Amino acid sequence: MKTGQALVSLLVFIATATIITAAATTVTLINSQTTGKFAQGESALVIAQTGADNAILRLLRNSSYSGEVLTVGSGTATITVSGSSVKTITSEGKDGNFIRKIQVVGTFVNNTFTVSSWDLAD
């Protein structure tokens, strides 16, 4: 073996190890960011659902309830209610930059609210 071959082999090994380590670190950081964003999106959905639940409860207590902005944890739910006997509740949950909307449609007759649909809204 020539004198320089060991040094070249060592340099190739070190360069390969450095590239593999950098790639693993990059993948870990990307996964961490994605997980955080997914959790924040799920939080916005929970906030929207909480707003819709709150609106149904308020409607049962006061049939003329038209909505509000509700603070839920680290986010807000913006609730709007429209309609007379058929009520449409739209609840927009916001957490950071993430927004999720829920739309609930139901009938309000004799102090009873019957939900006919509960869907994610665009």
Side-chain angles (χ1 to χ4, degrees), residues 27-110:
V27 168
T28 302
L29 288 173
I30 290 170
N31 284 341
S32 175
Q33 290 174 347
T34 302
T35 301
K37 290 177 181 179
F38 177 79
Q40 201 170 18
E42 286 295 302
S43 174
L45 180 59
V46 168
I47 291 168
Q49 290 172 336
T50 301
D53 288 337
N54 177 70
I56 292 170
L57 180 63
R58 299 255 186 181
L59 275 172
L60 291 171
R61 293 180 180 168
N62 176 7
S63 61
S64 63
Y65 173 74
S66 62
E68 65 184 301
V69 176
L70 182 68
T71 300
V72 180
S74 62
T76 57
T78 304
I79 305 160
T80 55
V81 179
S82 60
S84 52
S85 63
V86 176
K87 301 280 188 179
T88 300
I89 301 166
T90 304
S91 176
E92 179 182 281
K94 184 174 182 185
D95 189 1
N97 293 328
F98 289 85
I99 297 173
R100 297 290 185 269
K101 292 182 184 178
I102 300 272
Q103 186 174 53
V104 179
V105 178
T107 54
F108 190 73
V109 179
N110 296 330

Side-chain angles (χ1 to χ4, degrees), residues 3-28:
T3 3
Q5 283 182 327
L7 181 59
V8 170
S9 296
L10 180 63
L11 288 174
V12 168
F13 176 76
I14 290 174
T16 304
T18 302
I19 290 170
I20 290 171
T21 303
T25 302
T26 302
V27 168
T28 302

